[in-house]
Amino acid sequence: MHNNIFLASCISILTLVWLGVSLNSTTMMVAILSAVCLIGVPHGGLDHLSGRQWLSIRFGHFWFVPFFAGYVGIALVAIYGWLTFPLGTALGFFMISANHFGRDEQSGFSTCFWSSLAAVGSGGLVIWIPALTRPMEMQMVLQAIIPAEIRSSSESILFWTQGLAIMFVPIAGADIVYSVASPVARARVGFQRASRLLISTCIFATTPIPLSFAIFFCGWHSIRGLSRLMADHRMTLNELTVAAMPMSLGAICLCGLGMWLWNSERELSKELTRTLFLGLSGMAVPHLVLHDAIPMLNRRTKYRTNFLVRSAA
C-alpha cells in the first residue's frame, strides 16, 4: 500500500512538472518543513529506543551512558569534519547515507558483494542524480554550508560526487533490471521496486533538490523507518505519536521562528544557516551509524551464540 501511494504521489508531482506548474516558494517551503517536522524528525529522534533495546542487555539501567556518549561524540566528529575537512566529510556522509537508504529493502543481486554495491547505488540515487543533472544547484547548496575560507571545496565535492555518481548509477541501473529478472526477488515485489526507483530518478532529475530529497526522505524512507520502529518496539500509532510529539513540536517552533524572521524581512545570516545544517548533519550521522551498526552487531552476536551452542553440543 505504501509503495502504491508513494508512486501515485511521485507521478502526480512529475505530471505537474511536465505541465509547467510550479509551486510558490513559500508554499513549497512550508510543505517541506511540515513533512520534516512531523515525519523526518521523529524518524531519527527516537533513536534512543533502539539504543536502549540493544544496550540495556549489556549495561542494564545505565544503557544511556554509552549511548549518549557515543551519539554526541559521533555528532561532534561530523561537525568538526564539515568545518575542517569538508571534502572527505561530504563524500563519507554521502556514501554512508546512500548505504543506509539502500539497505531499506532486498536488492535483486544474490551475492553479498554486489548487493552491497547495489545498496549504495540505488540508495544514493537521491544524491547521484542531482549531482549529474543539477550540478549548479548542488554547488549552491554546498556553498551555503561550507565556511567561506574553504569554499573552493564545494567544487571539489561536486567533482568527486559526480565521479561516484558515474560509477554507481550504472550499478543502480543493473540493480533495477535484476529486481525484475532475478529469481531471488518475487516478480511483483521486484516490479514495484523497479518502478519506484525509475520514477524516483525522474523526480530527482526534474525537481529542486530540497523538494526531491524531502519527497524521498519523508515520503518513503522515514515512513518505512517509523513502521519498523513500531514493529520492533510493539508500539501502537498513538504511542508512537505521543513519543514523537515533543520533538515534532520543538521542530515546528524552530521552523516557525525561522519563517517569522523571514516574513519580517529580518535577514537570516549565513552563519545561522550553516549552524542549522551542521546541527542536522550532526544528528544524521550518528543515526546512520546506529542503524547500520546494530544489525551487524546482532548478526555477530547471533553467529557467536550459534557457535557456542554447536561447541557445547
Side-chain angles (χ1 to χ4, degrees), residues 1-312:
M1 178 63 73
H2 178 213
N3 184 80
N4 294 335
I5 293 174
F6 180 76
L7 284 177
S9 301
C10 289
I11 292 172
S12 300
I13 293 170
L14 283 174
T15 302
L16 293 176
V17 170
W18 288 333
L19 291 175
V21 178
S22 58
L23 288 175
N24 177 276
S25 59
T26 303
T27 302
M28 184 172 68
M29 182 182 298
V30 170
I32 291 173
L33 291 177
S34 299
V36 170
C37 291
L38 297 175
I39 302 174
V41 169
H43 163 63
L46 295 174
D47 280 346
H48 62 282
L49 298 179
S50 300
R52 180 177 61 187
Q53 185 181 53
W54 185 68
L55 292 172
S56 61
I57 300 174
R58 296 159 177 79
F59 299 95
H61 295 298
F62 297 98
W63 64 269
F64 60 89
V65 176
F67 173 78
F68 286 107
Y71 212 85
V72 174
I74 294 172
L76 293 176
V77 169
I79 293 172
Y80 180 77
W82 277 110
L83 294 175
T84 59
F85 187 42
L87 174 59
T89 303
L91 296 180
F93 182 62
F94 291 161
M95 289 292 289
I96 63 174
S97 297
N99 180 71
H100 178 70
F101 295 149
R103 294 292 181 184
D104 260 356
E105 51 195 321
Q106 177 66 44
S107 166
F109 292 104
S110 57
T111 63
C112 181
F113 174 76
W114 285 108
S115 181
S116 298
L117 287 181
V120 178
S122 300
L125 286 173
V126 68
I127 303 168
W128 314 138
I129 297 301
L132 295 175
T133 61
R134 311 178 73 87
M136 297 302 296
E137 184 181 353
M138 178 171 277
Q139 187 166 345
M140 289 176 60
V141 173
L142 291 170
Q143 287 177 343
I145 60 178
I146 295 174
E149 58 272 17
I150 51 176
R151 188 155 293 170
S152 59
S153 295
S154 63
E155 299 177 2
S156 300
I157 293 172
L158 179 61
F159 173 80
W160 286 103
T161 303
Q162 289 176 326
L164 291 173
I166 292 171
M167 178 174 65
F168 281 111
V169 168
I171 295 175
D175 185 30
I176 292 173
V177 173
Y178 269 78
S179 293
V180 179
S182 173
V184 175
R186 290 178 297 168
R188 181 180 177 183
V189 174
F191 179 77
Q192 288 179 339
R193 180 170 184 265
S195 301
R196 179 180 55 78
L197 289 175
L198 287 171
I199 293 174
S200 296
T201 297
C202 295
I203 288 283
F204 302 150
T206 58
T207 60
I209 292 176
L211 178 60
S212 64
F213 183 80
I215 291 170
F216 169 76
F217 180 69
C218 297
W220 178 255
H221 177 72
S222 293
I223 290 179
R224 286 174 61 87
L226 289 172
S227 298
R228 283 194 299 269
L229 188 72
M230 289 174 61
D232 290 343
H233 300 283
R234 299 177 182 177
M235 301 173 70
T236 65
L237 181 59
N238 288 337
E239 290 172 336
L240 178 69
T241 302
V242 170
M245 191 175 297
M247 287 166 286
S248 293
L249 290 177
I252 290 171
C253 291
L254 289 176
C255 291
L257 176 61
M259 293 294 290
W260 176 76
L261 292 172
W262 182 50
N263 288 328
S264 61
E265 298 182 351
R266 297 170 183 264
E267 183 179 357
L268 289 173
S269 67
K270 293 181 179 179
E271 288 74 16
L272 179 56
T273 303
R274 187 177 304 131
T275 300
L276 290 173
F277 172 82
L278 293 176
L280 291 173
S281 176
M283 292 171 58
V285 173
H287 168 77
L288 298 173
V289 173
L290 174 70
H291 286 275
D292 286 343
I294 285 181
M296 181 179 66
L297 291 171
N298 284 339
R299 286 194 298 269
R300 184 177 177 182
T301 302
K302 183 178 179 181
Y303 173 80
R304 184 181 299 173
T305 302
N306 291 338
F307 176 78
L308 291 175
V309 170
R310 288 195 300 268
S311 300

